[in-house]
Amino acid sequence: MSKARVVAPHSTITLPDGATIAYEVLGSRHLGHRQPLVLVGGMSSRRIDWDRLATSLAEVRPNRYGLRLNKHDPNKRLSLHEKRDIARATLESTFDPTWLANPTNSSRFQWWLERMISGGR
């Protein structure tokens, strides 16, 4: 006999254009102590799509999450080398350090890096 999954209650907000957005606050004990983390699903996503990740994050917030973004002067034209350095830090933060340290993955990482600085072409 399978056990039915219990879905937590959620709140909604209706926008001026009439669209209704459902949301749920998890890990409220972190409010005021940690930076909020917002997970946004696409149009066809369901609340259950985020369930495993959101529940885990509500219990234990990792010290490092999100993308590391380098800020630079938007008026300065960057060289390919500078673009690569900026993209490398951001891209490295999205991969498992063990995967990055494996030399067999170097060419795959370089492929992603070149895609980032070329605008995905």
Side-chain angles (χ1 to χ4, degrees):
M1 176 189 266
S2 67
K3 198 180 230 186
R5 184 180 175 284
V6 177
V7 178
H10 63 278
S11 301
T12 60
I13 184 170
T14 302
L15 303 178
D17 66 359
T20 300
I21 298 175
Y23 67 94
E24 188 173 353
V25 176
L26 301 173
S28 58
R29 69 182 172 285
H30 297 296
L31 292 174
H33 302 285
R34 299 297 301 260
Q35 184 175 3
L37 179 64
V38 178
L39 305 175
V40 180
M43 190 169 171
S44 64
S45 69
R46 301 175 314 159
R47 288 174 59 218
I48 195 170
D49 293 342
W50 290 110
D51 194 51
R52 287 179 62 194
L53 176 61
T55 302
S56 296
L57 288 173
E59 292 300 317
V60 179
R61 291 288 296 276
N63 290 329
R64 181 184 87 77
Y65 65 91
L67 298 177
R68 293 181 187 159
L69 299 177
N70 292 318
K71 297 186 176 152
H72 67 278
D73 181 355
N75 298 317
K76 180 185 179 230
R77 188 160 175 87
L78 299 174
S79 70
L80 281 177
H81 180 73
E82 290 170 317
K83 288 180 182 180
R84 226 177 254 114
D85 286 345
I86 291 169
R88 183 182 319 282
T90 302
L91 187 59
E92 284 177 347
S93 72
T94 67
F95 283 90
D96 175 30
T98 305
W99 186 91
L100 285 170
N102 184 337
T104 61
N105 295 322
S106 178
S107 63
R108 292 178 70 193
F109 181 81
Q110 289 304 317
W111 181 87
W112 280 110
L113 184 59
E114 294 304 316
R115 299 266 305 180
M116 285 184 74
I117 65 169
S118 68
R121 291 178 207 73

PDB file of all heavy atoms in Angstrom, residues 13-48:
ATOM      1  N   ILE A  13      -0.797  35.177  -4.132  1.00  0.00           N
ATOM      2  CA  ILE A  13      -0.895  36.620  -4.316  1.00  0.00           C
ATOM      3  C   ILE A  13      -1.458  36.844  -5.720  1.00  0.00           C
ATOM      4  O   ILE A  13      -1.080  36.145  -6.651  1.00  0.00           O
ATOM      5  CB  ILE A  13       0.464  37.322  -4.131  1.00  0.00           C
ATOM      6  CG1 ILE A  13       0.297  38.835  -4.237  1.00  0.00           C
ATOM      7  CG2 ILE A  13       1.487  36.806  -5.106  1.00  0.00           C
ATOM      8  CD1 ILE A  13       1.531  39.619  -3.821  1.00  0.00           C
ATOM      9  N   THR A  14      -2.382  37.769  -5.849  1.00  0.00           N
ATOM     10  CA  THR A  14      -2.946  38.088  -7.150  1.00  0.00           C
ATOM     11  C   THR A  14      -2.352  39.412  -7.624  1.00  0.00           C
ATOM     12  O   THR A  14      -2.409  40.422  -6.929  1.00  0.00           O
ATOM     13  CB  THR A  14      -4.485  38.178  -7.078  1.00  0.00           C
ATOM     14  OG1 THR A  14      -4.982  36.929  -6.590  1.00  0.00           O
ATOM     15  CG2 THR A  14      -5.076  38.456  -8.442  1.00  0.00           C
ATOM     16  N   LEU A  15      -1.771  39.366  -8.791  1.00  0.00           N
ATOM     17  CA  LEU A  15      -1.123  40.540  -9.372  1.00  0.00           C
ATOM     18  C   LEU A  15      -2.156  41.460 -10.029  1.00  0.00           C
ATOM     19  O   LEU A  15      -3.287  41.037 -10.302  1.00  0.00           O
ATOM     20  CB  LEU A  15      -0.082  40.093 -10.397  1.00  0.00           C
ATOM     21  CG  LEU A  15       0.999  39.150  -9.864  1.00  0.00           C
ATOM     22  CD1 LEU A  15       1.952  38.746 -10.980  1.00  0.00           C
ATOM     23  CD2 LEU A  15       1.757  39.800  -8.724  1.00  0.00           C
ATOM     24  N   PRO A  16      -1.797  42.723 -10.293  1.00  0.00           N
ATOM     25  CA  PRO A  16      -2.738  43.668 -10.902  1.00  0.00           C
ATOM     26  C   PRO A  16      -3.336  43.182 -12.224  1.00  0.00           C
ATOM     27  O   PRO A  16      -4.468  43.514 -12.555  1.00  0.00           O
ATOM     28  CB  PRO A  16      -1.902  44.932 -11.118  1.00  0.00           C
ATOM     29  CG  PRO A  16      -0.834  44.854 -10.079  1.00  0.00           C
ATOM     30  CD  PRO A  16      -0.535  43.382  -9.943  1.00  0.00           C
ATOM     31  N   ASP A  17      -2.578  42.345 -12.965  1.00  0.00           N
ATOM     32  CA  ASP A  17      -3.109  41.864 -14.242  1.00  0.00           C
ATOM     33  C   ASP A  17      -4.021  40.646 -14.081  1.00  0.00           C
ATOM     34  O   ASP A  17      -4.496  40.080 -15.054  1.00  0.00           O
ATOM     35  CB  ASP A  17      -1.973  41.533 -15.215  1.00  0.00           C
ATOM     36  CG  ASP A  17      -1.121  40.360 -14.763  1.00  0.00           C
ATOM     37  OD1 ASP A  17      -1.378  39.787 -13.681  1.00  0.00           O
ATOM     38  OD2 ASP A  17      -0.183  39.999 -15.504  1.00  0.00           O
ATOM     39  N   GLY A  18      -4.239  40.219 -12.830  1.00  0.00           N
ATOM     40  CA  GLY A  18      -5.134  39.106 -12.572  1.00  0.00           C
ATOM     41  C   GLY A  18      -4.444  37.763 -12.409  1.00  0.00           C
ATOM     42  O   GLY A  18      -5.060  36.776 -12.019  1.00  0.00           O
ATOM     43  N   ALA A  19      -3.154  37.700 -12.696  1.00  0.00           N
ATOM     44  CA  ALA A  19      -2.414  36.443 -12.543  1.00  0.00           C
ATOM     45  C   ALA A  19      -2.280  36.114 -11.059  1.00  0.00           C
ATOM     46  O   ALA A  19      -2.045  37.000 -10.235  1.00  0.00           O
ATOM     47  CB  ALA A  19      -1.034  36.560 -13.181  1.00  0.00           C
ATOM     48  N   THR A  20      -2.426  34.859 -10.726  1.00  0.00           N
ATOM     49  CA  THR A  20      -2.285  34.410  -9.345  1.00  0.00           C
ATOM     50  C   THR A  20      -1.012  33.589  -9.231  1.00  0.00           C
ATOM     51  O   THR A  20      -0.790  32.673 -10.011  1.00  0.00           O
ATOM     52  CB  THR A  20      -3.499  33.564  -8.919  1.00  0.00           C
ATOM     53  OG1 THR A  20      -4.677  34.364  -9.048  1.00  0.00           O
ATOM     54  CG2 THR A  20      -3.360  33.091  -7.489  1.00  0.00           C
ATOM     55  N   ILE A  21      -0.194  33.941  -8.252  1.00  0.00           N
ATOM     56  CA  ILE A  21       1.053  33.237  -8.019  1.00  0.00           C
ATOM     57  C   ILE A  21       0.980  32.571  -6.652  1.00  0.00           C
ATOM     58  O   ILE A  21       0.634  33.212  -5.665  1.00  0.00           O
ATOM     59  CB  ILE A  21       2.250  34.208  -8.061  1.00  0.00           C
ATOM     60  CG1 ILE A  21       2.360  34.851  -9.449  1.00  0.00           C
ATOM     61  CG2 ILE A  21       3.541  33.487  -7.695  1.00  0.00           C
ATOM     62  CD1 ILE A  21       3.429  35.910  -9.542  1.00  0.00           C
ATOM     63  N   ALA A  22       1.295  31.271  -6.630  1.00  0.00           N
ATOM     64  CA  ALA A  22       1.338  30.537  -5.367  1.00  0.00           C
ATOM     65  C   ALA A  22       2.774  30.538  -4.862  1.00  0.00           C
ATOM     66  O   ALA A  22       3.716  30.472  -5.643  1.00  0.00           O
ATOM     67  CB  ALA A  22       0.852  29.107  -5.573  1.00  0.00           C
ATOM     68  N   TYR A  23       2.947  30.622  -3.560  1.00  0.00           N
ATOM     69  CA  TYR A  23       4.285  30.577  -2.983  1.00  0.00           C
ATOM     70  C   TYR A  23       4.229  29.906  -1.628  1.00  0.00           C
ATOM     71  O   TYR A  23       3.180  29.779  -1.013  1.00  0.00           O
ATOM     72  CB  TYR A  23       4.913  31.966  -2.878  1.00  0.00           C
ATOM     73  CG  TYR A  23       4.217  32.877  -1.900  1.00  0.00           C
ATOM     74  CD1 TYR A  23       4.664  32.987  -0.586  1.00  0.00           C
ATOM     75  CD2 TYR A  23       3.111  33.630  -2.291  1.00  0.00           C
ATOM     76  CE1 TYR A  23       4.019  33.834   0.308  1.00  0.00           C
ATOM     77  CE2 TYR A  23       2.472  34.472  -1.407  1.00  0.00           C
ATOM     78  CZ  TYR A  23       2.924  34.568  -0.109  1.00  0.00           C
ATOM     79  OH  TYR A  23       2.287  35.390   0.779  1.00  0.00           O
ATOM     80  N   GLU A  24       5.388  29.479  -1.181  1.00  0.00           N
ATOM     81  CA  GLU A  24       5.500  28.786   0.093  1.00  0.00           C
ATOM     82  C   GLU A  24       6.793  29.236   0.756  1.00  0.00           C
ATOM     83  O   GLU A  24       7.824  29.349   0.096  1.00  0.00           O
ATOM     84  CB  GLU A  24       5.545  27.290  -0.200  1.00  0.00           C
ATOM     85  CG  GLU A  24       5.470  26.400   0.973  1.00  0.00           C
ATOM     86  CD  GLU A  24       5.353  24.937   0.537  1.00  0.00           C
ATOM     87  OE1 GLU A  24       5.196  24.652  -0.662  1.00  0.00           O
ATOM     88  OE2 GLU A  24       5.460  24.097   1.422  1.00  0.00           O
ATOM     89  N   VAL A  25       6.749  29.523   2.034  1.00  0.00           N
ATOM     90  CA  VAL A  25       7.939  29.913   2.780  1.00  0.00           C
ATOM     91  C   VAL A  25       8.384  28.700   3.581  1.00  0.00           C
ATOM     92  O   VAL A  25       7.650  28.198   4.424  1.00  0.00           O
ATOM     93  CB  VAL A  25       7.664  31.109   3.722  1.00  0.00           C
ATOM     94  CG1 VAL A  25       8.895  31.419   4.564  1.00  0.00           C
ATOM     95  CG2 VAL A  25       7.220  32.320   2.926  1.00  0.00           C
ATOM     96  N   LEU A  26       9.591  28.238   3.295  1.00  0.00           N
ATOM     97  CA  LEU A  26      10.170  27.111   4.022  1.00  0.00           C
ATOM     98  C   LEU A  26      11.366  27.610   4.816  1.00  0.00           C
ATOM     99  O   LEU A  26      12.045  28.539   4.407  1.00  0.00           O
ATOM    100  CB  LEU A  26      10.630  26.026   3.041  1.00  0.00           C
ATOM    101  CG  LEU A  26       9.556  25.434   2.132  1.00  0.00           C
ATOM    102  CD1 LEU A  26      10.195  24.502   1.110  1.00  0.00           C
ATOM    103  CD2 LEU A  26       8.521  24.689   2.946  1.00  0.00           C
ATOM    104  N   GLY A  27      11.642  26.978   5.934  1.00  0.00           N
ATOM    105  CA  GLY A  27      12.811  27.349   6.727  1.00  0.00           C
ATOM    106  C   GLY A  27      12.696  28.723   7.344  1.00  0.00           C
ATOM    107  O   GLY A  27      13.663  29.480   7.386  1.00  0.00           O
ATOM    108  N   SER A  28      11.518  29.059   7.859  1.00  0.00           N
ATOM    109  CA  SER A  28      11.307  30.407   8.396  1.00  0.00           C
ATOM    110  C   SER A  28      12.253  30.733   9.554  1.00  0.00           C
ATOM    111  O   SER A  28      12.489  31.895   9.838  1.00  0.00           O
ATOM    112  CB  SER A  28       9.853  30.592   8.831  1.00  0.00           C
ATOM    113  OG  SER A  28       9.503  29.629   9.802  1.00  0.00           O
ATOM    114  N   ARG A  29      12.837  29.718  10.170  1.00  0.00           N
ATOM    115  CA  ARG A  29      13.780  29.986  11.272  1.00  0.00           C
ATOM    116  C   ARG A  29      15.042  30.691  10.765  1.00  0.00           C
ATOM    117  O   ARG A  29      15.792  31.269  11.525  1.00  0.00           O
ATOM    118  CB  ARG A  29      14.132  28.709  12.012  1.00  0.00           C
ATOM    119  CG  ARG A  29      14.961  27.735  11.220  1.00  0.00           C
ATOM    120  CD  ARG A  29      15.235  26.461  12.010  1.00  0.00           C
ATOM    121  NE  ARG A  29      15.859  25.454  11.209  1.00  0.00           N
ATOM    122  CZ  ARG A  29      15.261  24.709  10.293  1.00  0.00           C
ATOM    123  NH1 ARG A  29      13.978  24.872  10.064  1.00  0.00           N
ATOM    124  NH2 ARG A  29      15.914  23.800   9.611  1.00  0.00           N
ATOM    125  N   HIS A  30      15.284  30.644   9.447  1.00  0.00           N
ATOM    126  CA  HIS A  30      16.448  31.316   8.875  1.00  0.00           C
ATOM    127  C   HIS A  30      16.182  32.798   8.598  1.00  0.00           C
ATOM    128  O   HIS A  30      17.118  33.538   8.317  1.00  0.00           O
ATOM    129  CB  HIS A  30      16.862  30.647   7.557  1.00  0.00           C
ATOM    130  CG  HIS A  30      17.299  29.228   7.711  1.00  0.00           C
ATOM    131  ND1 HIS A  30      18.405  28.860   8.437  1.00  0.00           N
ATOM    132  CD2 HIS A  30      16.768  28.076   7.222  1.00  0.00           C
ATOM    133  CE1 HIS A  30      18.550  27.556   8.389  1.00  0.00           C
ATOM    134  NE2 HIS A  30      17.563  27.049   7.662  1.00  0.00           N
ATOM    135  N   LEU A  31      14.919  33.232   8.665  1.00  0.00           N
ATOM    136  CA  LEU A  31      14.595  34.627   8.367  1.00  0.00           C
ATOM    137  C   LEU A  31      15.358  35.559   9.289  1.00  0.00           C
ATOM    138  O   LEU A  31      15.410  35.365  10.493  1.00  0.00           O
ATOM    139  CB  LEU A  31      13.084  34.872   8.495  1.00  0.00           C
ATOM    140  CG  LEU A  31      12.206  34.187   7.454  1.00  0.00           C
ATOM    141  CD1 LEU A  31      10.727  34.400   7.777  1.00  0.00           C
ATOM    142  CD2 LEU A  31      12.519  34.691   6.062  1.00  0.00           C
ATOM    143  N   GLY A  32      15.975  36.570   8.715  1.00  0.00           N
ATOM    144  CA  GLY A  32      16.748  37.526   9.489  1.00  0.00           C
ATOM    145  C   GLY A  32      18.158  37.069   9.801  1.00  0.00           C
ATOM    146  O   GLY A  32      18.961  37.827  10.324  1.00  0.00           O
ATOM    147  N   HIS A  33      18.467  35.794   9.482  1.00  0.00           N
ATOM    148  CA  HIS A  33      19.802  35.257   9.767  1.00  0.00           C
ATOM    149  C   HIS A  33      20.557  34.867   8.506  1.00  0.00           C
ATOM    150  O   HIS A  33      21.770  34.849   8.492  1.00  0.00           O
ATOM    151  CB  HIS A  33      19.711  34.017  10.668  1.00  0.00           C
ATOM    152  CG  HIS A  33      19.031  34.295  11.961  1.00  0.00           C
ATOM    153  ND1 HIS A  33      19.637  34.972  12.994  1.00  0.00           N
ATOM    154  CD2 HIS A  33      17.785  33.999  12.388  1.00  0.00           C
ATOM    155  CE1 HIS A  33      18.786  35.069  14.003  1.00  0.00           C
ATOM    156  NE2 HIS A  33      17.656  34.492  13.660  1.00  0.00           N
ATOM    157  N   ARG A  34      19.835  34.518   7.481  1.00  0.00           N
ATOM    158  CA  ARG A  34      20.438  34.094   6.221  1.00  0.00           C
ATOM    159  C   ARG A  34      19.773  34.847   5.090  1.00  0.00           C
ATOM    160  O   ARG A  34      18.627  35.292   5.197  1.00  0.00           O
ATOM    161  CB  ARG A  34      20.219  32.587   5.988  1.00  0.00           C
ATOM    162  CG  ARG A  34      20.809  31.663   7.031  1.00  0.00           C
ATOM    163  CD  ARG A  34      22.330  31.718   7.127  1.00  0.00           C
ATOM    164  NE  ARG A  34      23.012  31.386   5.915  1.00  0.00           N
ATOM    165  CZ  ARG A  34      23.563  30.211   5.644  1.00  0.00           C
ATOM    166  NH1 ARG A  34      23.492  29.249   6.529  1.00  0.00           N
ATOM    167  NH2 ARG A  34      24.189  30.018   4.521  1.00  0.00           N
ATOM    168  N   GLN A  35      20.487  34.967   3.985  1.00  0.00           N
ATOM    169  CA  GLN A  35      19.925  35.625   2.808  1.00  0.00           C
ATOM    170  C   GLN A  35      18.827  34.722   2.231  1.00  0.00           C
ATOM    171  O   GLN A  35      19.028  33.520   2.085  1.00  0.00           O
ATOM    172  CB  GLN A  35      21.017  35.841   1.766  1.00  0.00           C
ATOM    173  CG  GLN A  35      20.545  36.596   0.558  1.00  0.00           C
ATOM    174  CD  GLN A  35      21.688  36.890  -0.404  1.00  0.00           C
ATOM    175  OE1 GLN A  35      22.822  36.475  -0.183  1.00  0.00           O
ATOM    176  NE2 GLN A  35      21.391  37.596  -1.453  1.00  0.00           N
ATOM    177  N   PRO A  36      17.661  35.281   1.920  1.00  0.00           N
ATOM    178  CA  PRO A  36      16.583  34.464   1.355  1.00  0.00           C
ATOM    179  C   PRO A  36      16.997  33.856   0.025  1.00  0.00           C
ATOM    180  O   PRO A  36      17.781  34.431  -0.727  1.00  0.00           O
ATOM    181  CB  PRO A  36      15.433  35.450   1.153  1.00  0.00           C
ATOM    182  CG  PRO A  36      15.763  36.617   1.993  1.00  0.00           C
ATOM    183  CD  PRO A  36      17.259  36.672   2.088  1.00  0.00           C
ATOM    184  N   LEU A  37      16.471  32.702  -0.244  1.00  0.00           N
ATOM    185  CA  LEU A  37      16.725  32.009  -1.499  1.00  0.00           C
ATOM    186  C   LEU A  37      15.372  31.789  -2.153  1.00  0.00           C
ATOM    187  O   LEU A  37      14.463  31.238  -1.537  1.00  0.00           O
ATOM    188  CB  LEU A  37      17.410  30.671  -1.219  1.00  0.00           C
ATOM    189  CG  LEU A  37      17.725  29.794  -2.392  1.00  0.00           C
ATOM    190  CD1 LEU A  37      18.743  30.487  -3.306  1.00  0.00           C
ATOM    191  CD2 LEU A  37      18.290  28.472  -1.907  1.00  0.00           C
ATOM    192  N   VAL A  38      15.224  32.258  -3.380  1.00  0.00           N
ATOM    193  CA  VAL A  38      13.950  32.151  -4.087  1.00  0.00           C
ATOM    194  C   VAL A  38      14.123  31.188  -5.253  1.00  0.00           C
ATOM    195  O   VAL A  38      15.021  31.349  -6.070  1.00  0.00           O
ATOM    196  CB  VAL A  38      13.484  33.529  -4.613  1.00  0.00           C
ATOM    197  CG1 VAL A  38      12.186  33.401  -5.386  1.00  0.00           C
ATOM    198  CG2 VAL A  38      13.340  34.512  -3.463  1.00  0.00           C
ATOM    199  N   LEU A  39      13.278  30.189  -5.324  1.00  0.00           N
ATOM    200  CA  LEU A  39      13.284  29.231  -6.423  1.00  0.00           C
ATOM    201  C   LEU A  39      12.075  29.536  -7.301  1.00  0.00           C
ATOM    202  O   LEU A  39      10.950  29.571  -6.814  1.00  0.00           O
ATOM    203  CB  LEU A  39      13.203  27.799  -5.896  1.00  0.00           C
ATOM    204  CG  LEU A  39      14.279  27.399  -4.880  1.00  0.00           C
ATOM    205  CD1 LEU A  39      14.014  26.003  -4.339  1.00  0.00           C
ATOM    206  CD2 LEU A  39      15.652  27.489  -5.503  1.00  0.00           C
ATOM    207  N   VAL A  40      12.307  29.766  -8.567  1.00  0.00           N
ATOM    208  CA  VAL A  40      11.232  30.133  -9.480  1.00  0.00           C
ATOM    209  C   VAL A  40      11.101  29.058 -10.544  1.00  0.00           C
ATOM    210  O   VAL A  40      12.047  28.763 -11.260  1.00  0.00           O
ATOM    211  CB  VAL A  40      11.512  31.499 -10.154  1.00  0.00           C
ATOM    212  CG1 VAL A  40      10.389  31.862 -11.110  1.00  0.00           C
ATOM    213  CG2 VAL A  40      11.698  32.576  -9.105  1.00  0.00           C
ATOM    214  N   GLY A  41       9.918  28.488 -10.632  1.00  0.00           N
ATOM    215  CA  GLY A  41       9.659  27.464 -11.634  1.00  0.00           C
ATOM    216  C   GLY A  41       9.097  28.079 -12.900  1.00  0.00           C
ATOM    217  O   GLY A  41       8.613  29.210 -12.900  1.00  0.00           O
ATOM    218  N   GLY A  42       9.197  27.343 -13.971  1.00  0.00           N
ATOM    219  CA  GLY A  42       8.650  27.798 -15.239  1.00  0.00           C
ATOM    220  C   GLY A  42       7.136  27.667 -15.275  1.00  0.00           C
ATOM    221  O   GLY A  42       6.508  27.214 -14.325  1.00  0.00           O
ATOM    222  N   MET A  43       6.561  28.059 -16.383  1.00  0.00           N
ATOM    223  CA  MET A  43       5.106  28.085 -16.518  1.00  0.00           C
ATOM    224  C   MET A  43       4.471  26.716 -16.311  1.00  0.00           C
ATOM    225  O   MET A  43       3.387  26.608 -15.765  1.00  0.00           O
ATOM    226  CB  MET A  43       4.755  28.624 -17.904  1.00  0.00           C
ATOM    227  CG  MET A  43       3.310  28.918 -18.082  1.00  0.00           C
ATOM    228  SD  MET A  43       3.167  29.840 -19.626  1.00  0.00           S
ATOM    229  CE  MET A  43       1.424  29.863 -19.787  1.00  0.00           C
ATOM    230  N   SER A  44       5.159  25.667 -16.738  1.00  0.00           N
ATOM    231  CA  SER A  44       4.553  24.340 -16.630  1.00  0.00           C
ATOM    232  C   SER A  44       5.005  23.585 -15.393  1.00  0.00           C
ATOM    233  O   SER A  44       4.648  22.427 -15.203  1.00  0.00           O
ATOM    234  CB  SER A  44       4.892  23.516 -17.878  1.00  0.00           C
ATOM    235  OG  SER A  44       6.289  23.297 -17.945  1.00  0.00           O
ATOM    236  N   SER A  45       5.784  24.228 -14.519  1.00  0.00           N
ATOM    237  CA  SER A  45       6.272  23.512 -13.340  1.00  0.00           C
ATOM    238  C   SER A  45       5.178  23.413 -12.285  1.00  0.00           C
ATOM    239  O   SER A  45       4.224  24.184 -12.270  1.00  0.00           O
ATOM    240  CB  SER A  45       7.513  24.186 -12.769  1.00  0.00           C
ATOM    241  OG  SER A  45       7.182  25.424 -12.204  1.00  0.00           O
ATOM    242  N   ARG A  46       5.380  22.436 -11.415  1.00  0.00           N
ATOM    243  CA  ARG A  46       4.454  22.236 -10.296  1.00  0.00           C
ATOM    244  C   ARG A  46       5.244  22.385  -9.004  1.00  0.00           C
ATOM    245  O   ARG A  46       6.462  22.277  -9.001  1.00  0.00           O
ATOM    246  CB  ARG A  46       3.839  20.836 -10.382  1.00  0.00           C
ATOM    247  CG  ARG A  46       3.090  20.621 -11.669  1.00  0.00           C
ATOM    248  CD  ARG A  46       2.590  19.201 -11.823  1.00  0.00           C
ATOM    249  NE  ARG A  46       3.649  18.258 -11.481  1.00  0.00           N
ATOM    250  CZ  ARG A  46       3.427  17.002 -11.125  1.00  0.00           C
ATOM    251  NH1 ARG A  46       2.220  16.527 -11.077  1.00  0.00           N
ATOM    252  NH2 ARG A  46       4.421  16.198 -10.817  1.00  0.00           N
ATOM    253  N   ARG A  47       4.551  22.619  -7.916  1.00  0.00           N
ATOM    254  CA  ARG A  47       5.231  22.799  -6.632  1.00  0.00           C
ATOM    255  C   ARG A  47       6.092  21.590  -6.282  1.00  0.00           C
ATOM    256  O   ARG A  47       7.178  21.728  -5.726  1.00  0.00           O
ATOM    257  CB  ARG A  47       4.213  23.040  -5.524  1.00  0.00           C
ATOM    258  CG  ARG A  47       3.589  24.412  -5.619  1.00  0.00           C
ATOM    259  CD  ARG A  47       2.468  24.627  -4.625  1.00  0.00           C
ATOM    260  NE  ARG A  47       2.923  24.450  -3.262  1.00  0.00           N
ATOM    261  CZ  ARG A  47       2.191  23.880  -2.321  1.00  0.00           C
ATOM    262  NH1 ARG A  47       0.985  23.421  -2.584  1.00  0.00           N
ATOM    263  NH2 ARG A  47       2.658  23.758  -1.099  1.00  0.00           N
ATOM    264  N   ILE A  48       5.651  20.420  -6.626  1.00  0.00           N
ATOM    265  CA  ILE A  48       6.393  19.200  -6.289  1.00  0.00           C
ATOM    266  C   ILE A  48       7.741  19.134  -7.016  1.00  0.00           C
ATOM    267  O   ILE A  48       8.666  18.462  -6.579  1.00  0.00           O
ATOM    268  CB  ILE A  48       5.542  17.943  -6.570  1.00  0.00           C
ATOM    269  CG1 ILE A  48       6.165  16.728  -5.879  1.00  0.00           C
ATOM    270  CG2 ILE A  48       5.367  17.724  -8.049  1.00  0.00           C
ATOM    271  CD1 ILE A  48       5.292  15.502  -5.900  1.00  0.00           C
TER     272      ILE A  48
END
